[in-house]
Amino acid sequence: MSGRQVDRGRRLADVVLAAVVGALGTAVAAFDDGTTALDHALVALASAALAFHRAAPRAVLAVATALGTAYVVHAHPGPLSALPVLGAVHTAARVGHRGVAAAGGAVFLAGYVAAGPGTQHVAERAGLLAGWFLCAVVTGLADRNWQAYLRQTEQRALEAERTREEAALRRAGEERLRIARELHDSLTHSISIVKLQAGVAVHLARKRGDEVPPALLAIQEASGEAMRELRSALQVLRADEPAGTPALLVERARAAGLAVDLTVTGDERPLPRAVDLAAYRIVQEALTNAARHAGPAKVRVRIDYGTGNTGAPVRELAIDVDDDGAADPARPPVPGTGLTGMRERVGALGGTLSAAPRAEGGFAVRARLPLGETI
């Protein structure tokens, strides 16, 4: 069902609600002695206002309370005259205006008691109405909490589905890269040796003037073809490696509306493949979390290529991502798939990772990745 159809259905339901309340109020008023045309008009207008309770709940409450109070002061009806005001009180409390809803109910009750004679019968009716108004406020708040719970449950389900998909893709990508590394380190090396030895044998045979055995030529050709096929397979397996740099991630985040500053210090240079991939994924996950949870915050990304805080050369890559969002140190977040994946990736490289709310507010990610001798 489209959003336009949902809105149309809600408007129709609001009109039906106002019509039903107006019909009940008019029917009850018709059985009261001395009901005038003014009284019927007050009931009808107070009920009709309920049709707009979604768009302007406080205005509807004010109109219903004023007209309902005027009606009870003029006609001295029974408790059912409070129906329009009860509906307005409930809808106001439902959207969070608890104080306004209670005040509207109190004003109507005051008018009801002041308009009637000070008898035990009127006091009992006023007590009954007070209970009704209290129930209207409580049910409105309960409905509000229930709707918030449903929204949170739906959001958590969507988030869980998204994180499951991301985790599955990440695991699949890591497994492909592992297979690619194994193939490169083992099979590629072996085939290269076979190809090299076959080439040397062919060269020596030709140098001596001997006839090169067909089997040796076949081995040389087959090993060369196998190397080409293996390189193609490795390119496919490595297709999910980062297509870009942390700077490109920052540009994408800015284009998406996130305020990000990037600072790069040290001697920027090529990194080992595993470290380069980890750095890319850490910045990617940190910016994603900032965009999702930090709200309208400013994010600072700092990448240090091995200078350290004192300027002395150190063999590590430092990545710091800070935001000034709404994270509270008193309520640290529960680590999700993204943070867990970052910790596993950094731990596999022998590095350290800290991801937690900052004391001054916001969230901070600190990653330190050791660099090998060959860069």
Side-chain angles (χ1 to χ4, degrees), residues 148-168:
Y149 171 76
L150 290 180
R151 287 192 296 271
Q152 290 177 359
T153 302
E154 182 180 0
Q155 183 64 30
R156 288 173 182 171
L158 293 175
E159 182 71 13
E161 182 66 23
R162 186 194 62 80
T163 53
R164 279 196 298 269
E165 292 177 357
E166 290 181 354

Side-chain angles (χ1 to χ4, degrees), residues 64 82 142 151 162 176 226 349 352:
R151 287 192 296 271
R162 186 194 62 80
R176 285 198 297 270
L349 297 175
T352 60

